Amino acid sequence: MAEPVALKLTAKDFKSDQEVRWCPGCGDYAILAAVQSFMPELGIPRENIVFVSGIGCSSRFPYYMNTYGLHSIHGRAPAIATGLSVSRPDLQTWVVTGDGDALSIGGNHLIHALRRNVNLKILLFNNRIYGLTKGQYSPTSEIGKITKSTPTGSADSPFNPISLALGAEASFVARTIDSDRKHLQSVLREAAEHKGSAFVEIYQNCNIFNDGAFDLLKEPETRDEAVIRLEHGQPITFGAQGEWCVVHPPGGFGLEVRETASVDPADIVVHNSSVPEPAYAFALSRLPGADLRHTPIGVFRSVQRSSYDDIVREQVSTATAKVTDPNAELASLLGSGDTWTIL
């Protein structure tokens, strides 16, 4: 990743000259503004930043960032970004994708980028619908979802993107919400500082084809009891007065929500995002039900391990150091064995 330097950039410097074209009221506008506003904090020249996207509403993102960018093909952004990250360590590489792009045709590319711990910042905009193709159900749509492609209700069980990322042993996994700018930017900062794959799921409202999908987490009268804010080193409590908490069930596995007054304070789980094994973070990711009650947001896991980029570059350097005359080695390779001359 490029080292920060002394620069005086503003959010305006990261706004391109392209007209932003999403549906009025789309949550993508809020995410774009948040990213453009926090980018100057990195102190990285714009020419050392690149955004790579696939196909979908979210994938228009590179057009609106005044950095380098690639609008690639459906689901393949992590693969293209992997090659870029490995070959250009001077760049900070971001992937912008959606729940359809990343988890359907791009599913294998996503999990292998995370498994390898490629030095990428992956932002997955999850609106639980296919927006660009006009409202079909997506891999994160709930069972029974009625859409143009499932008129009698979806029969598919949805992916939990956080659980999926943790199952792939991603070294950084987080979740945030498009309309909570302060929280969104705090998560982006941590992702930007992470060495290796940083996966951030962003709940994003599609007000045309799936409006209100996350209202439970946003409305003042419900959000306090629905949203669990994870803070490293702090007991996991939530509610307007902290009346709910997360504990280990007696004699059981996983985690559960209990009334704070009904448990010994010593039994309340203290959040630790740096636990080496992903089992604890995975248990946290299984808390929300289909109705989004008890939804954790924040950093689930942040651990350090060797990045794919560093390992590959070290292998190349080691192999190169053994070659005394590259031209002679190449000539020997091309001339070895049976050869044919075509005239």
Side-chain angles (χ1 to χ4, degrees):
M1 187 178 73
E3 292 296 325
V5 297
L7 288 176
K8 291 184 178 180
L9 297 173
T10 66
K12 186 177 180 180
D13 293 314
F14 287 91
K15 296 179 181 179
S16 75
D17 61 357
Q18 299 299 298
E19 178 188 0
V20 182
R21 301 186 65 182
W22 286 308
C23 298
C26 175
D28 288 355
Y29 285 98
I31 301 172
L32 175 63
V35 171
Q36 290 171 334
S37 294
F38 110 94
M39 275 283 158
E41 299 178 16
L42 300 179
I44 299 175
R46 290 172 297 174
E47 59 269 24
N48 289 116
I49 300 172
V50 60
F51 282 81
V52 183
S53 67
I55 296 296
C57 295
S58 63
S59 295
R60 298 185 62 82
F61 211 88
Y63 291 108
Y64 309 137
M65 295 296 300
N66 192 18
T67 62
Y68 282 111
L70 292 168
H71 191 170
S72 69
I73 55 180
H74 205 6
R76 273 63 177 185
I80 293 170
T82 294
L84 186 60
S85 182
V86 172
S87 62
R88 290 291 303 272
D90 57 314
L91 300 179
Q92 186 181 79
T93 306
W94 295 75
V95 171
V96 178
T97 184
D99 47 304
D101 185 57
L103 300 175
S104 56
I105 192 170
N108 268 350
H109 293 293
L110 175 68
I111 63 174
H112 290 299
L114 297 176
R115 172 181 68 86
R116 290 169 171 153
N117 200 34
V118 184
N119 194 28
L120 303 173
K121 321 305 171 189
I122 302 174
L123 308 183
L124 188 152
F125 297 10
N126 182 6
N127 56 25
R128 295 184 163 184
I129 203 77
Y130 277 102
L132 187 68
T133 50
K134 306 300 185 285
Q136 298 82 9
Y137 83 110
S138 85
T140 56
S141 297
E142 63 272 22
I143 291 179
K145 182 72 173 180
I146 295 175
T147 72
K148 293 177 181 178
S149 56
T150 54
T152 58
S154 169
D156 289 0
S157 296
F159 271 130
N160 179 323
I162 298 295
S163 297
L164 184 74
L166 291 166
E169 298 210 30
S171 56
F172 182 99
V173 180
R175 175 192 287 140
T176 185
I177 303 172
D178 58 0
S179 59
D180 191 339
R181 183 162 178 165
K182 181 178 179 181
H183 188 270
L184 171 57
Q185 289 187 324
S186 70
V187 169
L188 292 175
R189 289 186 192 99
E190 292 192 61
E193 293 170 359
H194 184 75
K195 180 71 172 179
S197 293
F199 176 84
V200 180
E201 178 189 24
I202 306 174
Y203 282 157
Q204 176 260 329
N205 190 50
C206 175
N207 60 312
I208 302 300
F209 297 108
N210 201 22
D211 193 25
F214 304 109
D215 278 356
L216 189 73
L217 310 178
K218 298 182 177 185
E219 296 297 330
E221 58 271 19
T222 58
R223 65 190 179 196
D224 287 338
E225 291 197 4
V227 176
I228 304 173
R229 295 181 179 271
L230 303 175
E231 296 182 38
H232 182 75
Q234 297 298 316
I236 305 179
T237 61
F238 62 104
Q241 305 297 326
E243 58 268 30
W244 299 96
C245 66
V246 174
V247 300
H248 293 284
F253 297 96
L255 300 169
E256 67 179 20
V257 172
R258 299 277 296 276
E259 290 188 47
T260 305
S262 68
V263 304
D264 186 328
D267 293 335
I268 299 175
V269 174
V270 175
H271 183 51
N272 183 356
S273 59
S274 61
V275 175
E277 292 300 319
Y280 160 70
F282 189 86
L284 272 178
S285 76
R286 308 309 296 175
L287 281 176
D291 57 1
L292 292 176
R293 291 184 311 112
H294 309 151
T295 297
I297 65 172
V299 178
F300 289 73
R301 186 177 196 230
S302 180
V303 297
Q304 293 296 322
R305 61 185 177 93
S306 298
S307 73
Y308 177 82
D309 316 52
D310 289 343
I311 294 172
V312 170
R313 286 194 291 269
E314 183 179 349
Q315 290 176 337
V316 171
S317 296
T318 301
T320 302
K322 295 178 181 179
V323 178
T324 55
D325 187 344
N327 292 330
E329 290 275 354
L330 180 60
S332 174
L333 176 64
L334 294 177
S336 63
D338 294 330
T339 60
W340 297 79
T341 300
I342 307 298
L343 300 177

mmCIF file with all atom_site columns, all heavy atoms in Angstrom, residues 35 109 115 155 166 169 192 198 255 261:
data_model
loop_
_atom_site.group_PDB
_atom_site.id
_atom_site.type_symbol
_atom_site.label_atom_id
_atom_site.label_alt_id
_atom_site.label_comp_id
_atom_site.label_asym_id
_atom_site.label_entity_id
_atom_site.label_seq_id
_atom_site.pdbx_PDB_ins_code
_atom_site.Cartn_x
_atom_site.Cartn_y
_atom_site.Cartn_z
_atom_site.occupancy
_atom_site.B_iso_or_equiv
_atom_site.pdbx_formal_charge
_atom_site.auth_seq_id
_atom_site.auth_comp_id
_atom_site.auth_asym_id
_atom_site.auth_atom_id
_atom_site.pdbx_PDB_model_num
ATOM 1  N N   . VAL A 1 35  ? -17.122 8.461   1.036   1.00 0.00 ? 35  VAL A N   1
ATOM 2  C CA  . VAL A 1 35  ? -15.805 8.044   0.548   1.00 0.00 ? 35  VAL A CA  1
ATOM 3  C C   . VAL A 1 35  ? -15.001 9.254   0.076   1.00 0.00 ? 35  VAL A C   1
ATOM 4  O O   . VAL A 1 35  ? -13.814 9.406   0.409   1.00 0.00 ? 35  VAL A O   1
ATOM 5  C CB  . VAL A 1 35  ? -15.946 7.012   -0.593  1.00 0.00 ? 35  VAL A CB  1
ATOM 6  C CG1 . VAL A 1 35  ? -14.592 6.734   -1.250  1.00 0.00 ? 35  VAL A CG1 1
ATOM 7  C CG2 . VAL A 1 35  ? -16.544 5.711   -0.067  1.00 0.00 ? 35  VAL A CG2 1
ATOM 8  N N   . HIS A 1 109 ? -14.718 -15.594 -7.131  1.00 0.00 ? 109 HIS A N   1
ATOM 9  C CA  . HIS A 1 109 ? -13.664 -14.579 -7.167  1.00 0.00 ? 109 HIS A CA  1
ATOM 10 C C   . HIS A 1 109 ? -13.563 -13.867 -5.822  1.00 0.00 ? 109 HIS A C   1
ATOM 11 O O   . HIS A 1 109 ? -12.464 -13.577 -5.337  1.00 0.00 ? 109 HIS A O   1
ATOM 12 C CB  . HIS A 1 109 ? -13.939 -13.568 -8.280  1.00 0.00 ? 109 HIS A CB  1
ATOM 13 C CG  . HIS A 1 109 ? -13.841 -14.149 -9.656  1.00 0.00 ? 109 HIS A CG  1
ATOM 14 N ND1 . HIS A 1 109 ? -12.656 -14.587 -10.188 1.00 0.00 ? 109 HIS A ND1 1
ATOM 15 C CD2 . HIS A 1 109 ? -14.786 -14.369 -10.602 1.00 0.00 ? 109 HIS A CD2 1
ATOM 16 C CE1 . HIS A 1 109 ? -12.865 -15.056 -11.415 1.00 0.00 ? 109 HIS A CE1 1
ATOM 17 N NE2 . HIS A 1 109 ? -14.147 -14.938 -11.686 1.00 0.00 ? 109 HIS A NE2 1
ATOM 18 N N   . ARG A 1 115 ? -9.703  -15.375 0.848   1.00 0.00 ? 115 ARG A N   1
ATOM 19 C CA  . ARG A 1 115 ? -8.899  -16.503 1.342   1.00 0.00 ? 115 ARG A CA  1
ATOM 20 C C   . ARG A 1 115 ? -7.413  -16.232 1.177   1.00 0.00 ? 115 ARG A C   1
ATOM 21 O O   . ARG A 1 115 ? -6.603  -16.509 2.066   1.00 0.00 ? 115 ARG A O   1
ATOM 22 C CB  . ARG A 1 115 ? -9.298  -17.774 0.584   1.00 0.00 ? 115 ARG A CB  1
ATOM 23 C CG  . ARG A 1 115 ? -8.426  -18.991 0.854   1.00 0.00 ? 115 ARG A CG  1
ATOM 24 C CD  . ARG A 1 115 ? -8.901  -20.177 0.036   1.00 0.00 ? 115 ARG A CD  1
ATOM 25 N NE  . ARG A 1 115 ? -8.707  -20.019 -1.383  1.00 0.00 ? 115 ARG A NE  1
ATOM 26 C CZ  . ARG A 1 115 ? -7.589  -20.327 -2.041  1.00 0.00 ? 115 ARG A CZ  1
ATOM 27 N NH1 . ARG A 1 115 ? -6.547  -20.793 -1.376  1.00 0.00 ? 115 ARG A NH1 1
ATOM 28 N NH2 . ARG A 1 115 ? -7.509  -20.168 -3.340  1.00 0.00 ? 115 ARG A NH2 1
ATOM 29 N N   . ALA A 1 155 ? -37.572 -18.910 -3.205  1.00 0.00 ? 155 ALA A N   1
ATOM 30 C CA  . ALA A 1 155 ? -37.387 -20.163 -2.458  1.00 0.00 ? 155 ALA A CA  1
ATOM 31 C C   . ALA A 1 155 ? -35.946 -20.326 -1.993  1.00 0.00 ? 155 ALA A C   1
ATOM 32 O O   . ALA A 1 155 ? -35.604 -21.330 -1.359  1.00 0.00 ? 155 ALA A O   1
ATOM 33 C CB  . ALA A 1 155 ? -37.781 -21.353 -3.330  1.00 0.00 ? 155 ALA A CB  1
ATOM 34 N N   . LEU A 1 166 ? -16.143 -14.378 6.708   1.00 0.00 ? 166 LEU A N   1
ATOM 35 C CA  . LEU A 1 166 ? -15.452 -15.001 7.840   1.00 0.00 ? 166 LEU A CA  1
ATOM 36 C C   . LEU A 1 166 ? -15.151 -16.471 7.559   1.00 0.00 ? 166 LEU A C   1
ATOM 37 O O   . LEU A 1 166 ? -14.108 -16.993 7.956   1.00 0.00 ? 166 LEU A O   1
ATOM 38 C CB  . LEU A 1 166 ? -16.296 -14.862 9.112   1.00 0.00 ? 166 LEU A CB  1
ATOM 39 C CG  . LEU A 1 166 ? -16.411 -13.436 9.651   1.00 0.00 ? 166 LEU A CG  1
ATOM 40 C CD1 . LEU A 1 166 ? -17.526 -13.347 10.693  1.00 0.00 ? 166 LEU A CD1 1
ATOM 41 C CD2 . LEU A 1 166 ? -15.088 -12.987 10.258  1.00 0.00 ? 166 LEU A CD2 1
ATOM 42 N N   . GLU A 1 169 ? -12.133 -16.862 5.909   1.00 0.00 ? 169 GLU A N   1
ATOM 43 C CA  . GLU A 1 169 ? -11.056 -16.412 6.796   1.00 0.00 ? 169 GLU A CA  1
ATOM 44 C C   . GLU A 1 169 ? -10.461 -15.073 6.362   1.00 0.00 ? 169 GLU A C   1
ATOM 45 O O   . GLU A 1 169 ? -9.236  -14.867 6.416   1.00 0.00 ? 169 GLU A O   1
ATOM 46 C CB  . GLU A 1 169 ? -9.976  -17.491 6.941   1.00 0.00 ? 169 GLU A CB  1
ATOM 47 C CG  . GLU A 1 169 ? -10.521 -18.767 7.556   1.00 0.00 ? 169 GLU A CG  1
ATOM 48 C CD  . GLU A 1 169 ? -9.492  -19.550 8.360   1.00 0.00 ? 169 GLU A CD  1
ATOM 49 O OE1 . GLU A 1 169 ? -8.576  -18.935 8.924   1.00 0.00 ? 169 GLU A OE1 1
ATOM 50 O OE2 . GLU A 1 169 ? -9.640  -20.777 8.423   1.00 0.00 ? 169 GLU A OE2 1
ATOM 51 N N   . ALA A 1 192 ? -9.041  1.032   5.379   1.00 0.00 ? 192 ALA A N   1
ATOM 52 C CA  . ALA A 1 192 ? -7.945  1.613   4.607   1.00 0.00 ? 192 ALA A CA  1
ATOM 53 C C   . ALA A 1 192 ? -6.594  1.353   5.253   1.00 0.00 ? 192 ALA A C   1
ATOM 54 O O   . ALA A 1 192 ? -5.578  1.196   4.568   1.00 0.00 ? 192 ALA A O   1
ATOM 55 C CB  . ALA A 1 192 ? -8.164  3.116   4.445   1.00 0.00 ? 192 ALA A CB  1
ATOM 56 N N   . ALA A 1 198 ? -9.607  -6.324  3.156   1.00 0.00 ? 198 ALA A N   1
ATOM 57 C CA  . ALA A 1 198 ? -10.553 -5.675  4.071   1.00 0.00 ? 198 ALA A CA  1
ATOM 58 C C   . ALA A 1 198 ? -11.925 -5.713  3.417   1.00 0.00 ? 198 ALA A C   1
ATOM 59 O O   . ALA A 1 198 ? -12.140 -5.100  2.371   1.00 0.00 ? 198 ALA A O   1
ATOM 60 C CB  . ALA A 1 198 ? -10.129 -4.241  4.360   1.00 0.00 ? 198 ALA A CB  1
ATOM 61 N N   . LEU A 1 255 ? -23.606 -17.240 20.516  1.00 0.00 ? 255 LEU A N   1
ATOM 62 C CA  . LEU A 1 255 ? -23.922 -16.087 21.338  1.00 0.00 ? 255 LEU A CA  1
ATOM 63 C C   . LEU A 1 255 ? -25.419 -15.851 21.310  1.00 0.00 ? 255 LEU A C   1
ATOM 64 O O   . LEU A 1 255 ? -26.110 -16.280 20.382  1.00 0.00 ? 255 LEU A O   1
ATOM 65 C CB  . LEU A 1 255 ? -23.198 -14.842 20.792  1.00 0.00 ? 255 LEU A CB  1
ATOM 66 C CG  . LEU A 1 255 ? -21.671 -14.892 20.741  1.00 0.00 ? 255 LEU A CG  1
ATOM 67 C CD1 . LEU A 1 255 ? -21.142 -13.711 19.943  1.00 0.00 ? 255 LEU A CD1 1
ATOM 68 C CD2 . LEU A 1 255 ? -21.076 -14.904 22.143  1.00 0.00 ? 255 LEU A CD2 1
ATOM 69 N N   . ALA A 1 261 ? -30.308 -6.559  32.679  1.00 0.00 ? 261 ALA A N   1
ATOM 70 C CA  . ALA A 1 261 ? -30.638 -6.663  34.104  1.00 0.00 ? 261 ALA A CA  1
ATOM 71 C C   . ALA A 1 261 ? -30.715 -8.106  34.574  1.00 0.00 ? 261 ALA A C   1
ATOM 72 O O   . ALA A 1 261 ? -30.652 -8.365  35.782  1.00 0.00 ? 261 ALA A O   1
ATOM 73 C CB  . ALA A 1 261 ? -31.958 -5.950  34.381  1.00 0.00 ? 261 ALA A CB  1
#
